[in-house]
Amino acid sequence: RRRIACQQCRRKKVKCDNVRPICGFCAAASQRCVYMESHGGNAKIEPTTRELLDRLDQIQERVDSIASRIGTQGMWFPQNVAADGLSKDYLRIPSSNTTADTVLTWPIFQSRFPPEHLTNTLLTNTTRERDENSENNEAFFVHLSFEPLSDERIPYLLNRFLENVHTKNPILDVEALIRWGKRAAAQGPGWDATSCLVLLACALGAISLPFQSSVADRVGSSSYTSSTTSSTVFSREIRQAESCYSLACRRLGLLRHTVLGAQCYFYSAVYLMYTFHPIEAWNHFCQASTFYQIHFHKTTKSLHLSVDPAIGSTRVVTQRRLEQSLYWSCFKSECEMRVELHLPQSAIANIDYPHMFPSPPSHPADESGSEQVEGDTLRFEEGLRDYTNKVLVEEKSWYYYLTEVALRRIGNRILNTFYRKDHTSWANIIPLIPIAKEFQAQILVWSANLPPSMQYDDNALEHLTPSQELSWATCNRLLEMRFWLFQPFLYHVIHCDPLHAESQHSADIQSLVEAAMECNVETVRNRTLRHRHHGIWFDIRAVITASFTVIAAAKSGRVEVAPEWEDRIKLVIATLAFWEGESPDVRKSREVLEELFAE
């Protein structure tokens, strides 16, 4: 409403501050202040205005509530974390304090196993094999036989890569990859970075399988015998993949410090995770991070990363999107590795990165250069004919990817809260109860608010699609976070005298212990799937940790362990036997689990 001056100010032609009931001028002059309303009475606020004011009051209350909660979060973090670093606590995590190796050092096992008893096998095996094969330093990276790559298979392998691999880490320009693959199929791979990336994509396309085929194998798992191993089941795929990867490795040393170079090292590390080489994968993840850091520092000197799309070209906006995705993929991959292995943190966490999330592509997903090719490239288009649901796949891929980044932050905060010190700090578990409940509420909210397309139904196996793998992976991520959250309480009950437990907290502790046992059940049920993917080694480590934890609970006699766990641990042992031919630590884990299970 237009403000109406009082009668005194109107008569004297001075500016009225419109204060009611007496304006400033009248108050200073000790005069009577009279307002003439347009309707002869007090001005009434319109109903719409009143509704807006009420909503603003509600918003203000919520903001105040959030601010008060943020102000109390100091208790969530160790005292040595500076207050100005609370918002970035997710950038660094304690290394390897949640693992199967750590469970074996619990007092319940009476110091039978040294620290890192299982993962040390990876280091000793690598060193021994390289010493025995000094004339061939690639002995640990590749299998003995190859299946040569024909140029005609490049479109088919790229299609498998886009469907089975790229959806988890969408860090590439798909249009450009198709263009480079078209050139490699027509002229053969060159020695440049684009050919290196195409060969890596072909290697991953060869080694990967659709998710629904792995589920179908699980449903019909009676066809597997005790002598069936992954090396025999996937022998042809491994030979083809190793041929492509060997060709790509010859080009890795020629890469420059560009986004493309970092992408090559990143997908090289992903391939090494597919083939159970976590130590070598860590090296290549670090190389990808290093390449990105150098590129980041060079770029910020010439062009600020926060480019306004309104003034930047389409190419610049696409480049920034790829940079953002690459940063977050490198960061979360390093976090995943450091959860399981005692490894140093690279400097990528020290970058003052301006983007809290990667930006999804803004252009329509079906505007691909692959639709504009003609003539002799039609054959390449036929190889990509199965990739027709690109829009839906890309949308769900980005749902998954952004969820992964967000859950990585929450997961890292759980690790910083509960695992910065070793398990001896869990003797005094009472202060952690309200914190655990708060984190549990956050996880439940995330689970409840996932889009319907991201909900995973373990019972609807016959309706699975390739993109259903993303829902399965998100389910496993939430399950992993719950496991981290509840494990300290299970440890406390196993090792601490129940007579010393605070009676008023016993019900809370019991509920958290039951939740921990339920997480172990879900972990074995969900993650024993014989599906080769980027996180297969992490799946195996998770079921090993769950099995050791349940054995510790049974050994203590203080936690009820259901009889069904006998069959579950037998399932875990069979799963380890299936994969152990590809990784020495898996074989060692199976031997230790069989020993403890027999006892």
Side-chain angles (χ1 to χ4, degrees):
R1 292 180 181 275
R2 182 174 60 87
R3 291 184 174 186
I4 301 176
C6 72
Q7 293 300 302
Q8 293 288 353
C9 293
R10 287 166 61 89
R11 187 168 59 252
K12 297 183 179 297
K13 300 185 184 303
V14 297
K15 184 175 181 180
C16 182
D17 60 13
N18 210 242
V19 175
R20 307 292 179 102
I22 303 176
C23 71
F25 177 82
C26 292
S30 299
Q31 296 177 351
R32 184 185 177 196
C33 187
V34 179
Y35 288 94
M36 295 296 294
E37 305 296 346
S38 59
H39 298 289
N42 292 334
K44 295 182 179 180
I45 299 178
E46 296 177 359
T48 304
T49 306
R50 172 57 60 190
E51 181 182 352
L52 290 174
L53 292 174
D54 291 342
R55 292 179 64 183
L56 284 173
D57 290 339
Q58 296 173 8
I59 293 172
Q60 183 63 46
E61 290 177 2
R62 293 186 181 183
V63 170
D64 292 341
S65 174
I66 293 171
S68 63
R69 291 178 63 185
I70 293 175
T72 60
Q73 280 185 347
M75 61 177 291
W76 289 19
F77 306 99
Q79 294 180 356
N80 60 349
V81 177
D84 59 354
L86 289 179
S87 62
K88 296 187 177 182
D89 64 288
Y90 60 86
L91 293 176
R92 294 173 180 81
I93 59 172
S95 179
S96 65
N97 284 344
T98 67
T99 64
D101 300 77
T102 305
V103 175
L104 290 179
T105 64
W106 286 3
I108 192 70
F109 294 113
Q110 301 175 336
S111 303
R112 287 174 55 182
F113 305 100
E116 301 176 27
H117 179 63
L118 306 176
T119 53
N120 274 339
T121 312
L122 293 168
L123 299 172
T124 56
N125 186 278
T126 303
T127 304
R128 183 176 67 253
E129 286 200 23
R130 286 180 177 173
D131 289 343
E132 293 174 356
N133 299 277
S134 58
E135 72 282 0
N136 182 10
N137 288 331
E138 292 182 342
F140 191 70
F141 287 83
V142 297
H143 291 255
L144 297 177
S145 58
F146 292 137
E147 181 173 320
L149 173 66
S150 62
D151 296 342
E152 291 78 7
R153 280 185 61 82
I154 291 179
Y156 170 74
L157 295 176
L158 284 184
N159 179 58
R160 298 231 319 203
F161 166 80
L162 292 173
E163 285 189 340
N164 302 331
V165 183
H166 186 254
T167 50
K168 288 86 163 178
N169 285 285
I171 66 172
L172 300 181
D173 183 347
V174 175
E175 180 181 343
L177 179 66
I178 292 175
R179 187 169 62 250
W180 299 331
K182 176 186 66 176
R183 184 176 62 192
Q187 305 174 6
W191 287 92
D192 56 349
T194 60
S195 296
C196 181
L197 187 60
V198 168
L199 289 169
L200 288 168
C202 288
L204 285 163
I207 200 70
S208 63
L209 290 173
F211 180 63
Q212 67 268 37
S213 66
S214 300
V215 174
D217 290 341
R218 181 184 189 180
V219 174
S221 58
S222 58
S223 60
Y224 287 127
T225 64
S226 58
S227 60
T228 302
T229 65
S230 60
S231 299
T232 57
V233 172
F234 307 119
S235 59
R236 186 174 182 273
E237 290 86 354
I238 292 175
R239 289 197 304 270
Q240 176 74 89
E242 288 291 343
S243 175
C244 298
Y245 185 69
S246 178
L247 293 173
C249 283
R250 299 174 187 177
R251 293 157 172 81
L252 284 176
L254 305 177
L255 299 175
R256 297 187 177 184
H257 298 109
T258 61
V259 169
L260 184 58
Q263 290 170 339
C264 288
Y265 268 109
F266 179 85
Y267 275 116
S268 174
V270 171
Y271 177 83
L272 291 169
M273 291 304 299
Y274 264 85
T275 54
F276 291 86
H277 296 97
I279 301 297
E280 289 76 9
W282 166 255
N283 178 33
H284 283 210
F285 278 133
C286 286
Q287 288 282 7
S289 297
T290 301
F291 273 48
Y292 179 81
Q293 291 171 64
I294 295 175
H295 168 78
F296 178 88
H297 290 304
K298 290 194 301 184
T299 303
T300 52
K301 292 181 181 299
S302 57
L303 183 65
H304 196 275
L305 277 177
S306 301
V307 175
D308 184 358
I311 61 174
S313 66
T314 302
R315 181 178 179 182
V316 169
V317 173
T318 301
Q319 181 73 2
R320 295 299 168 262
R321 174 176 59 81
L322 297 178
E323 290 173 357
Q324 295 166 18
S325 302
L326 180 60
Y327 169 85
W328 286 110
S329 289
C330 289
F331 171 74
K332 69 186 187 71
S333 297
E334 284 196 20
C335 290
E336 290 170 350
M337 298 294 293
R338 294 188 71 245
V339 167
E340 294 295 334
L341 297 171
H342 188 65
L343 295 166
Q345 181 123 16
S346 79
I348 195 168
N350 297 329
I351 295 179
D352 188 16
Y353 201 66
H355 305 284
M356 293 297 289
F357 285 95
S359 301
S362 57
H363 59 276
D366 56 351
E367 292 182 4
S368 171
S370 60
E371 296 182 357
Q372 303 171 6
V373 294
E374 301 176 353
D376 59 349
T377 62
L378 185 59
R379 189 174 184 183
F380 187 85
E381 288 304 302
E382 293 175 357
L384 292 168
R385 63 185 180 275
D386 294 331
Y387 200 64
T388 57
N389 59 340
K390 185 178 177 184
V391 175
L392 295 177
V393 169
E394 185 174 59
E395 179 180 286
K396 188 165 184 180
S397 172
W398 276 92
Y399 269 133
Y400 164 77
Y401 189 60
L402 295 174
T403 301
E404 269 284 283
V405 173
L407 294 182
R408 187 75 258 169
R409 290 197 184 98
I410 300 176
N412 285 4
R413 289 190 168 109
I414 293 175
L415 293 173
N416 278 314
T417 303
F418 291 91
Y419 295 91
R420 188 170 291 276
K421 298 180 181 179
D422 61 22
H423 49 70
T424 58
S425 64
W426 297 336
N428 181 21
I429 204 70
I430 305 303
L432 297 178
I433 294 176
I435 304 174
K437 288 184 176 181
E438 177 67 25
F439 275 124
Q440 185 180 16
Q442 292 184 36
I443 295 173
L444 290 175
V445 168
W446 264 102
S447 301
N449 288 281
L450 286 174
S453 62
M454 293 299 295
Q455 300 285 346
Y456 175 69
D457 184 3
D458 191 36
N459 297 319
L461 300 180
E462 67 275 10
H463 303 299
L464 290 177
T465 62
S467 61
Q468 195 70 20
E469 181 182 6
L470 304 179
S471 306
W472 174 73
T474 299
C475 174
N476 289 339
R477 179 69 70 203
L478 291 164
L479 178 59
E480 179 183 55
M481 292 162 58
R482 289 165 51 208
F483 177 83
W484 294 340
L485 190 59
F486 301 138
Q487 189 186 52
F489 300 92
L490 184 58
Y491 171 91
H492 178 82
V493 171
I494 290 173
H495 294 93
C496 297
D497 188 348
L499 296 178
H500 294 165
E502 297 288 342
S503 59
Q504 64 268 29
H505 298 291
S506 58
D508 290 332
I509 293 176
Q510 182 61 30
S511 67
L512 293 169
V513 168
E514 292 173 357
M517 294 300 290
E518 180 61 28
C519 282
N520 290 325
V521 173
E522 293 182 34
T523 298
V524 172
R525 182 178 66 239
N526 288 5
R527 306 187 76 169
T528 50
L529 188 64
R530 297 177 182 182
H531 172 57
R532 188 188 293 272
H533 63 109
H534 178 177
I536 179 60
W537 187 74
F538 299 119
D539 285 345
I540 291 174
R541 293 281 291 175
V543 298
I544 295 169
T545 306
S547 300
F548 288 164
T549 303
V550 170
I551 289 176
K555 191 176 178 66
S556 72
R558 298 176 176 177
V559 180
E560 182 180 356
V561 178
E564 292 82 3
W565 267 106
E566 182 176 351
D567 292 333
R568 293 187 184 114
I569 292 184
K570 288 180 180 178
L571 173 62
V572 173
I573 292 173
T575 302
L576 300 183
F578 178 78
W579 294 106
E580 68 178 21
E582 299 193 51
S583 184
D585 68 307
V586 177
R587 180 184 292 110
K588 184 69 173 178
S589 300
R590 193 232 340 134
E591 294 170 352
V592 173
L593 182 56
E594 286 181 334
E595 177 186 345
L596 294 175
F597 181 55
E599 295 175 3

